[in-house]
Amino acid sequence: MQAWQRIAPPVSLVRIYIEGDGFAWVSRTQPSADPTPRNPVGLQLAAADKSANVIYLARPCQFIGPPLPAVCTTHLWTDKRFSSEVVQAMDEAISQAVQPYPQAKIELVGYSGGATIAAQLAARRHDVVSLRTVAGNLDVAYVNALHHVSAMPDALSAIDVAADLKNLPQLHISGGDDSTVPPAVATRFQRATGTQCAKVVNVPGMRHGSDWAAVWPGLLARPLNCEP
C-alpha cells in the first residue's frame, strides 16, 4: 500500500485519509489491470487539509505499478476489496504509520469505498476519536443492489458496525447530484447508528467525482459532537 504524510511533531492528533475504490473496472464485466484512481479524490481531500498532521493511505495496489507485484491480483480491487483480509491490511498499515506517535489519537476520513473501510477500522481500533466520510459507500449490499451488480459475500460493510459506532462523533457528507452513492446511503447509516452522534450533510450540486477538495475546508470546519 502506498502512503504519504505531512507530520509536524509533537503529534497528539493525526487525520488519516483512505482513498476510494479507484479504477477498479474498465466495464461492468472487465476488471482494470491497475486500480490506481484516475481522479484520486481522497488524495485531493488530504492535500486540501491544512492541518499539521495528515496521513494519506491508498487502497491496496493503487499507485504501485506498473508493473504491479504478483500479490496484486484483481480480486483485491473487485470482489475482495472489502474483505476481512483487506480491512486487516489497512488496519496494520495505520498501526505502522502511527507507531512513532504512540499517544496520538486518530481522525478517520474515507472517500467512496474508503468510507466502509474507515468505518470498519473505527469499530475495531481504540485510538479513533472521529469519523468523516465523503460520498461514502456505507452500505455495500444496498449500493450493489441499487446498481444491479453482483453481491459481494465476502464484503464487510460499514452498516454492519453502525451500532458499534453509536458513541463516536461522525459526519457523513453526500452530494445532492451523486447517482453513484446517493444521499439515501448516508441516511440509512445514520439511522442504523441509533444515536445523535452521526450527522449527515447533503451538498447540493455535487456528484460522486466532483471537486470535493474545493469545498472540503468548509466541511472540515463543521463541529463534530454527539448533540442533537
Side-chain angles (χ1 to χ4, degrees):
M1 276 177 282
Q2 182 63 272
W4 289 285
Q5 64 181 27
R6 181 179 68 247
I7 299 292
V11 180
S12 60
L13 184 69
V14 60
R15 191 169 293 135
I16 298 179
Y17 288 78
I18 300 176
E19 187 59 83
D21 296 343
F23 185 48
W25 295 90
V26 175
S27 67
R28 287 179 66 91
T29 58
Q30 181 184 353
S32 166
D34 185 339
T36 299
R38 297 182 173 183
N39 179 25
V41 175
L43 181 57
Q44 294 162 10
L45 293 174
D49 188 337
K50 303 308 180 185
S51 303
N53 300 303
V54 174
I55 295 174
Y56 166 82
L57 285 180
R59 302 277 288 284
C61 304
Q62 296 178 351
F63 301 102
I64 299 296
L68 290 176
V71 70
C72 285
T73 66
T74 57
H75 293 290
L76 290 176
W77 55 87
T78 56
D79 59 307
K80 304 287 188 183
R81 67 184 183 272
F82 302 129
S83 66
S84 59
E85 293 83 1
V86 167
V87 173
Q88 179 63 29
M90 298 294 291
D91 192 21
E92 292 173 3
I94 289 179
S95 293
Q96 181 177 339
V98 301
Q99 188 273 334
Y101 323 110
Q103 305 304 317
K105 298 300 183 182
I106 294 172
E107 295 187 330
L108 286 175
V109 181
Y111 166 69
S112 188
T116 219
I117 300 288
Q120 283 284 333
L121 295 176
R124 66 175 61 190
R125 297 185 65 92
H126 301 292
D127 51 2
V128 176
V129 295
S130 70
L131 171 67
R132 294 176 176 88
T133 68
V134 177
N137 183 353
L138 296 163
D139 188 341
V140 174
Y142 176 79
V143 171
N144 284 352
L146 189 69
H147 294 289
H148 307 289
V149 298
S150 300
M152 300 169 65
D154 296 323
L156 302 181
S157 183
I159 205 163
D160 298 335
V161 295
D164 298 330
L165 302 176
K166 62 182 179 181
N167 296 319
L168 182 71
Q170 49 196 292
L171 180 67
H172 304 290
I173 303 160
S174 302
D177 290 344
D178 189 345
S179 59
T180 303
V181 182
V185 177
T187 302
R188 286 170 60 87
F189 184 83
Q190 181 190 39
R191 287 200 301 264
T193 66
T195 72
Q196 295 289 340
C197 290
K199 306 295 197 305
V200 297
V201 172
N202 189 342
V203 184
M206 296 296 281
R207 300 183 179 89
H208 197 69
S210 289
D211 186 6
W212 283 102
V215 298
W216 186 233
L219 292 167
L220 263 182
R222 288 176 175 258
L224 293 185
N225 54 56
C226 291
E227 300 173 359

